[in-house]
């Protein structure tokens, strides 16, 4: 099956953004290896520009937009926080105006960062529908281009660049665990990784309440409309429905078995990572850490010896910790 995003698109994105972003390091932890009885490698996107993987997709989208449209009035996006920060940073880097829409209740640390990168901030009601409608209205009124956080092929290609780096750094990877919200990172990682290494397995890690596995097994969208947020401490992965552009890619390339993580399990994994690995991660990243240490992982095919985990973000409000 062919997809609108290819490894060539990902490689072009990597060439476009590489000089502006960090090539994030890979960490290991013997304690986790001993628990899992496998070799686990953590791609530390929590150490990326703006504190998450999001600048990869945001910058690729904006720079490609400027290549194709020399007179860009500005960009607008809606976000749970990390993507908004990334778009604000990327827009400033590209020298164009930016507006970011966030839902009421977005962590203050992310709101202040968005403002710090020079973007105009608009706060809307806490629902996916309100975010989309507010963003669309601003785009229409100002003539701005929308930079989507996940449901855009340019965003997907940008996110796939982390898989290219990961497999250059650890070519023996047998599987990669990716936290999933709208699916941009999961789709991008899957497209790139499977093109480079067809036998590699990509596993999605979800917050409890997403109910992705039945959708993957049925190969159809079983979620009820209108779209909802999951009730979770991990605001970075609280979108229940996978995007319409990302879903077909995820269905085709990602394993049908999904790792589901509760809030309590994310808290436990956050504390473990802070204390034992000395890495500050947010709850969305902790979902992957818990998944790789879980009984479900221990029951996987033992031939999957080398497991990659994406630490997708590290933007934590230290004055309002989830515990």
């Amino acid at each position: 099956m062919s997809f609108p995003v290819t490894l060539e698109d990902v490689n072009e994105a990597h060439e476009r953004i590489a000089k502006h972003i960090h090539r994030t390091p890979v960490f290991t932890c013997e304690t986790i290896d001993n628990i899992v009885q496998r070799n686990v490698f953590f791609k530390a996107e929590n150490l990326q520009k703006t504190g998450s993987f999001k600048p990869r997709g945001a910058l690729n989208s904006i720079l490609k937009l400027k290549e194709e449209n020399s007179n860009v009035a500005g960009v607008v996006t809606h976000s749970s926080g990390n993507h908004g920060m990334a778009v604000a940073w990327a827009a400033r880097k590209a020298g164009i105006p930016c507006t970011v829409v966030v839902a009421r209740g977005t962590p203050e640390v992310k709101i202040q960062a968005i403002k710090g990168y020079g973007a105009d901030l608009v706060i809307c009601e806490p629902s996916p529908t309100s975010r989309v409608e507010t963003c669309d209205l601003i785009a229409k009124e100002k003539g701005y281009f929308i930079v989507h956080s996940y449901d855009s092929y340019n965003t997907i290609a940008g996110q796939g660049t982390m898989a290219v780096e990961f497999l250059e750094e650890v070519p023996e990877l047998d599987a990669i665990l990716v936290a999933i919200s709208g699916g941009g990172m999961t789709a991008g990682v899957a497209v790139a990784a499977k093109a480079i290494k067809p036998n590699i397995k990509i596993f999605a890690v979800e917050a409890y309440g997403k109910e992705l596995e039945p959708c993957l097994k049925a190969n159809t969208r079983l979620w009820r409309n209108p779209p909802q947020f999951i009730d979770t401490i991990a605001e970075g992965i609280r979108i229940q429905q996978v995007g319409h552009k990302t879903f077909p890619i995820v269905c085709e390339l990602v394993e049908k078995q999904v790792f589901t993580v509760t809030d309590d399990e994310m808290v436990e994994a956050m504390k473990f990572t802070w204390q034992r690995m000395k890495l500050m991660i947010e709850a969305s990243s902790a979902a992957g850490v818990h998944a790789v240490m879980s009984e479900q992982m221990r029951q996987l095919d033992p031939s999957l010896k080398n497991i990659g985990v994406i630490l997708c973000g590290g933007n934590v409000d230290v004055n309002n910790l989830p515990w």
Side-chain angles (χ1 to χ4, degrees):
M1 183 175 180
S2 60
F3 296 108
V5 181
T6 66
L7 179 59
E8 183 179 358
D9 296 320
V10 175
N11 286 332
E12 287 177 1
H14 200 248
E15 185 176 341
R16 187 176 288 119
I17 69 175
K19 66 181 179 181
H20 302 292
I21 65 167
H22 295 313
R23 185 181 179 100
T24 52
V26 173
F27 291 94
T28 58
C29 176
E30 287 187 14
T31 301
I32 292 179
D33 289 352
N34 291 334
I35 291 171
V36 183
Q37 290 299 295
R38 304 173 198 258
N39 305 311
V40 183
F41 302 87
F42 297 92
K43 178 73 166 159
E45 288 294 298
N46 58 310
L47 302 179
Q48 186 54 264
K49 298 282 189 178
T50 78
S52 84
F53 72 95
K54 292 288 191 177
R56 294 178 181 271
L59 188 61
N60 185 54
S61 296
I62 289 174
L63 292 182
K64 195 164 189 294
L65 176 65
K66 283 198 72 177
E67 290 171 9
E68 297 169 350
N69 302 271
S70 56
N71 297 314
V72 179
V75 293
V76 60
T77 194
H78 60 87
S79 168
S80 296
N82 283 345
H83 176 69
M85 294 161 59
V87 172
W89 169 82
R92 187 176 71 176
K93 177 112 2 220
I96 58 177
C98 174
T99 299
V100 178
V101 177
V102 299
R104 191 175 64 248
T106 296
E108 188 65 22
V109 63
K110 296 184 177 182
I111 287 176
Q112 292 304 319
I114 290 168
K115 291 179 179 178
Y117 290 122
D120 294 328
L121 188 79
V122 175
I123 297 176
C124 68
E125 292 303 305
S127 75
T129 300
S130 178
R131 279 186 11 182
V132 170
E133 290 177 347
T134 306
C135 184
D136 288 347
L137 183 62
I138 292 168
K140 185 177 180 180
E141 288 178 345
K142 294 189 172 186
Y144 281 9
F145 286 88
I146 296 174
V147 180
H148 205 286
S149 60
Y150 53 87
D151 225 13
S152 154
Y153 296 130
N154 290 334
T155 299
I156 294 168
Q159 315 306 28
T161 61
M162 75 184 82
V164 173
E165 292 181 5
F166 210 170
L167 282 168
E168 287 175 351
E169 292 149 357
V170 193
E172 64 270 26
L173 285 179
D174 299 309
I176 303 176
L177 271 59
V178 191
I180 188 166
S181 187
M185 173 169 59
T186 309
V189 167
V191 164
K194 298 286 275 189
I196 295 167
K197 193 173 184 180
N199 291 330
I200 197 168
K201 295 185 182 298
I202 309 300
F203 291 94
V205 182
E206 66 176 8
Y208 177 81
K210 188 176 187 68
E211 300 174 352
L212 175 63
E213 189 168 301
C215 300
L216 294 185
K217 289 181 174 178
N219 201 31
T220 191
R221 305 176 68 86
L222 300 176
W223 298 286
R224 295 178 182 177
N225 285 313
Q228 301 294 321
F229 287 137
I230 303 167
D231 183 13
T232 175
I233 61 170
E235 73 279 350
I237 53 172
R238 65 175 175 164
I239 294 173
Q240 185 183 42
Q241 296 194 23
V242 174
H244 289 275
K245 292 180 179 177
T246 56
F247 185 69
I249 300 174
V250 171
C251 275
E252 181 69 20
L253 298 180
V254 174
E255 299 302 306
K256 305 301 183 186
Q257 179 182 355
V258 176
F259 288 80
T260 303
V261 184
T262 67
D263 282 0
D264 287 345
E265 289 167 341
M266 287 185 230
V267 166
E268 181 183 337
M270 280 181 75
K271 290 179 177 179
F272 178 94
T273 307
W274 288 23
Q275 293 170 343
R276 302 301 292 270
M277 296 182 69
K278 313 307 177 189
L279 291 172
M280 178 175 282
I281 60 168
E282 60 187 85
S284 303
S285 294
V289 177
H290 183 274
V292 82
M293 296 172 68
S294 68
E295 180 63 30
Q296 186 176 347
M297 171 58 67
R298 288 192 286 274
Q299 291 176 357
L300 282 186
D301 182 348
S303 70
L304 303 177
K305 292 298 296 180
N306 301 300
I307 311 297
V309 180
I310 305 290
L311 299 179
C312 54
N315 290 308
V316 180
D317 186 348
V318 294
N319 294 314
N320 187 26
L321 297 175
W323 55 84

